[in-house]
Amino acid sequence: MTKLAVLGAGAWGTAISCVLAARLEVALWARDGAQARQIGGTRRNERYLPGFELPSTVHVTADLAEATRAASLVLAATPVAGLRELLAALPGDLPLVWLCKGFEARTGALPHQIAAETLGDDARCGALSGPSFAEEVARGLPCALTLASRDAAFARAAAAQLHGGRMRVYYSADLVGVEIGGAVKNVMAIAAGISDGLGLGLNARAALITRGLAEIARLGAAMGGRPETFMGLAGAGDLILTATGDLSRNRHVGLELARGKALPDILRALGHVAEGVHSAQEVARLAAARGVDMPVSDAVSSVLSGKMTAASAVERLLARESKMER
């Protein structure tokens, strides 16, 4: 049986392990030895994905070499903040797909840039992205994802390995576009949460999502992404889910900001990584550097940094002069 290694025992790593174990041999690696023993012993990850039992065929370990030994594909399921360290520790030249979305703090690097710096330009690697709440995936509900790599042959082969059951996996050669869609939609989800938290209504939410998609496409095109990517699963699909779904961490952050709660308190109570919080500043910086107009992203960045309240950011957006839609 084909073996896959899932590196990272958070919600998404645990969920995808549950799904893939129905037809593949899966090793789930947890960085923390105590966590690995707890999950292996109880077959549950109550910290990150409570209420779900891991199949008996998922082997849980804290030994990275053991997890990756004989694996035909490695799935890196850590947050962006932990990706560089994980890739540097990988033994050998392993085919790799990362599941994280966002920008690295301080460097502003996207995951593919981190991979190039740590593994080299010739590494066989790519990104898996698209609309996918971990809880629904773990329940076996249908979802569709996009696997992207600059190496189209690798993207097709890796997608074929993961595709099956109720998880459809498409492939793409637009790695930059897929990563931009996955990173910036989290910022837009915070904006949607703010809108909903302030009670601005469904009309406002629809307008915000639409204009948010326009911002994602503008920045993505400026960085070399393909327009069609932003109309697909990794663009519009992921944005719609994250901006409207009650399971969205980033939307939850926006809701709580609108209610006047302090960001540190929100993140402490959340207990999970909300990548949009870390990505907002990088999106604003990239947009400014490339001359891309991104008013929604700028507004979210201002709210997160404490420069503006949620209500004042909304008023500033509404007061902008009328422009041709594009």
Side-chain angles (χ1 to χ4, degrees):
M1 183 180 290
T2 302
K3 177 183 176 182
L4 265 66
V6 179
L7 308 182
W12 189 206
T14 304
I16 203 166
S17 295
C18 290
V19 170
L20 294 176
R23 51 194 172 80
L24 299 167
E25 179 184 350
V26 177
L28 175 62
W29 174 79
R31 183 187 307 274
D32 180 82
Q35 184 194 16
R37 289 190 293 273
Q38 181 269 319
I39 297 173
T42 65
R43 309 309 299 174
R44 292 176 178 270
N45 187 347
E46 293 297 339
R47 179 178 180 183
Y48 292 110
L49 196 66
F52 293 91
E53 185 169 336
L54 268 75
S56 60
T57 51
V58 176
H59 174 62
V60 186
T61 180
D63 186 327
L64 189 61
E66 179 187 3
T68 56
R69 188 176 300 120
S72 63
L73 185 65
V74 172
L75 304 183
T78 64
V80 174
L83 185 62
R84 187 180 296 273
E85 180 183 354
L86 174 63
L87 297 191
L90 284 178
D93 178 22
L94 297 168
L96 170 76
V97 171
W98 50 85
L99 313 183
C100 51
K101 306 168 185 178
F103 297 89
E104 186 178 43
R106 296 181 300 279
T107 69
L110 285 162
H112 79 270
Q113 294 169 317
I114 297 172
E117 292 171 11
T118 53
L119 304 177
D121 291 330
D122 296 329
R124 295 170 295 163
C125 58
L128 183 66
S129 191
S132 49
F133 285 145
E135 183 177 318
E136 292 195 354
V137 171
R139 288 168 59 193
L141 297 178
C143 72
L145 305 170
T146 298
L147 198 152
S149 173
R150 285 177 167 164
D151 180 343
F154 173 79
R156 182 174 184 173
Q161 276 191 272
L162 301 179
H163 180 92
R166 292 194 163 189
M167 189 167 74
R168 292 191 58 82
V169 184
Y170 296 82
Y171 59 92
S172 168
D174 185 12
L175 180 56
V176 171
V178 164
E179 286 196 330
I180 288 293
V184 185
K185 60 90 183 179
N186 286 326
V187 180
M188 299 306 169
I190 294 176
I194 289 173
S195 177
D196 288 345
L198 291 174
L200 301 183
L202 300 179
N203 293 340
R205 183 206 283 177
L208 188 61
I209 291 172
T210 305
R211 297 315 302 160
L213 182 59
E215 290 192 18
I216 293 171
R218 283 200 296 268
L219 181 62
M223 296 185 68
R226 300 174 185 170
E228 61 269 22
T229 297
F230 307 112
M231 298 300 112
L233 292 167
D238 212 356
L239 172 62
I240 292 167
L241 178 73
T242 314
T244 64
D246 290 336
L247 295 175
S248 168
R249 300 170 193 167
N250 292 283
R251 180 173 180 271
H252 177 78
V253 169
L255 287 168
E256 297 294 87
L257 287 170
R259 292 164 182 156
K261 293 187 179 181
L263 182 60
D265 295 337
I266 297 170
L267 298 179
R268 193 178 303 113
L270 189 63
H272 293 262
V273 174
E275 290 285 9
V277 173
H278 307 291
S279 296
Q281 184 177 356
E282 291 303 328
V283 171
R285 184 188 62 81
L286 275 172
R290 295 174 180 271
V292 179
D293 185 31
M294 300 187 70
V296 176
S297 302
D298 290 341
V300 172
S301 181
S302 294
V303 173
L304 291 172
S305 64
K307 295 177 182 177
M308 302 184 75
T309 65
S312 60
V314 169
E315 292 306 316
R316 186 175 72 174
L317 285 172
L318 291 172
R320 282 167 50 85
E321 66 179 25
S322 178
K323 293 185 175 182
M324 179 181 290
E325 184 177 18
R326 58 191 178 120

